[in-house]
Amino acid sequence: MAAPGYPSSPAGYVSPPYPSPPYPGPSAPPAPSPGFHDYPGSPQHHMSAPLHPQPDLPPGVAPYLPVSSGTAPSGLEYLSQIDQILIHQKTEALEAVTGFETCNQYELLSIVGQRIFTVQERSSLCARCCCGSLRPLNLQVYDPSGREVIHFIRPLKCTSCCFPCCLQELEVQSPPGHTVGYVAQSWHPFVPKYSLLTETREPVLKVVGPCIMSSCCGDIDFQVKPMCESRSVGRISKHWGGLAKEIFTDADNFGIQFPKDIDVKMKAVLLGACFLLDYVFFERSRAKAERHTVIS
């Protein structure tokens, strides 16, 4: 039947496909599909997937690693993409021949041998001659373009467990002048332990070494652990460099392994921990040999 005021369809033609009055009201919105909302009844949110998903933890347990926030200090972008780094100390010809202590130099390499950074020690002649491996110093880390990206500051401190109030410490700055963390020795009578701290001195990770260290024909491993020391999440290894190199020089090789998604600032602090371990345990000066324990 045609609507009032409109003629009927001629014979032989079908009715038009559009609806005839009365027209239907607006349809209700479809029910939301499960799984696309934060909670029942909440508005829809478009949540992006986390950059570095972490494993589910039991209720009441805090994450044990500082997850990367996605923003790295200028110059540290490359560190956010890797989980291993090699540290090679350059051999000083003058030091090897005369035994006269010179400023250390290092190269930081990728796992394929590509040079990432170079490191230069800055210390006074008096400090190197009088304090030896305990000397106060600065370490400047440069990228391939010659820009300083990390600055390590080591004050004059003790190493013996007999002086728990004046133990080793290292400040990490990136960029230079902006503190991002600290490495602080934790007192223990037998085992070397170092805490990795944030810029507010909040402890995050620990570096724990063996009770007795001997680099004779083998590597020495320092485990990186959470503060509860329940597991190992990384490692700092002092590599065996060969008999001749170990006897006649103090040039060392290190390897660092850490979770790829850890905060890049904490990766820089781990680098500082490796340099501090090198000076405390493996740096020889004239007649002084390497340290093998926390006491000696």
Side-chain angles (χ1 to χ4, degrees), residues 183-196:
V183 183
Q185 183 181 2
S186 302
W187 184 87
H188 195 279
F190 306 112
V191 178
K193 292 187 177 184
Y194 293 81
S195 297
L196 308 184

Side-chain angles (χ1 to χ4, degrees), residues 178-261:
H178 179 71
T179 302
V180 297
Y182 298 88
V183 183
Q185 183 181 2
S186 302
W187 184 87
H188 195 279
F190 306 112
V191 178
K193 292 187 177 184
Y194 293 81
S195 297
L196 308 184
L197 316 176
T198 64
E199 61 271 23
T200 58
R201 291 188 173 273
E202 178 184 357
V204 176
L205 296 171
K206 274 188 178 181
V207 176
V208 182
C211 181
I212 299 177
M213 286 164 284
S214 176
S215 58
C216 182
C217 303
D219 297 348
I220 300 176
D221 293 332
F222 294 81
Q223 302 297 329
V224 181
K225 300 183 178 184
M227 295 305 296
C228 61
E229 302 186 25
S230 59
R231 70 181 81 181
S232 177
V233 297
R235 183 172 61 207
I236 299 176
S237 299
K238 194 269 185 184
H239 295 157
W240 168 252
L243 186 62
K245 188 175 181 180
E246 295 288 340
I247 292 177
F248 297 107
T249 73
D250 63 351
D252 300 313
N253 294 322
F254 290 87
I256 305 178
Q257 298 179 7
F258 38 66
K260 186 176 182 180
D261 57 353

Side-chain angles (χ1 to χ4, degrees), residues 4 22 67 74 77 180:
V67 182
S74 178
E77 295 84 2
V180 297

Side-chain angles (χ1 to χ4, degrees), residues 49-160:
L51 295 177
H52 305 288
Q54 294 292 307
D56 294 334
L57 298 173
V61 178
Y64 65 90
L65 289 180
V67 182
S68 175
S69 59
T71 57
S74 178
L76 300 186
E77 295 84 2
Y78 186 82
L79 285 181
S80 62
Q81 307 171 22
I82 59 176
D83 58 0
Q84 296 185 51
I85 194 167
L86 305 176
I87 300 177
H88 169 66
Q89 183 178 352
K90 295 182 179 180
T91 302
E92 299 292 336
L94 178 63
E95 182 176 342
V97 173
T98 64
F100 185 80
E101 187 68 30
T102 59
C103 290
N104 289 352
Q105 298 182 61
Y106 302 86
E107 288 182 333
L108 274 63
L109 310 173
S110 68
I111 194 64
V112 296
Q114 177 186 6
R115 187 170 67 180
I116 307 171
F117 301 117
T118 57
V119 184
Q120 176 66 53
E121 175 192 337
R122 305 293 183 186
S123 60
S124 66
L125 176 62
C126 179
R128 294 195 302 272
C129 293
C130 299
C131 302
S133 61
L134 297 180
R135 60 186 178 269
L137 54 85
N138 293 344
L139 290 173
Q140 297 173 301
V141 182
Y142 299 94
D143 65 8
S145 66
R147 178 183 56 161
E148 185 180 1
V149 294
I150 309 177
H151 193 96
F152 300 113
I153 302 176
R154 182 201 187 191
L156 180 62
K157 296 282 186 177
C158 299
T159 58
S160 174

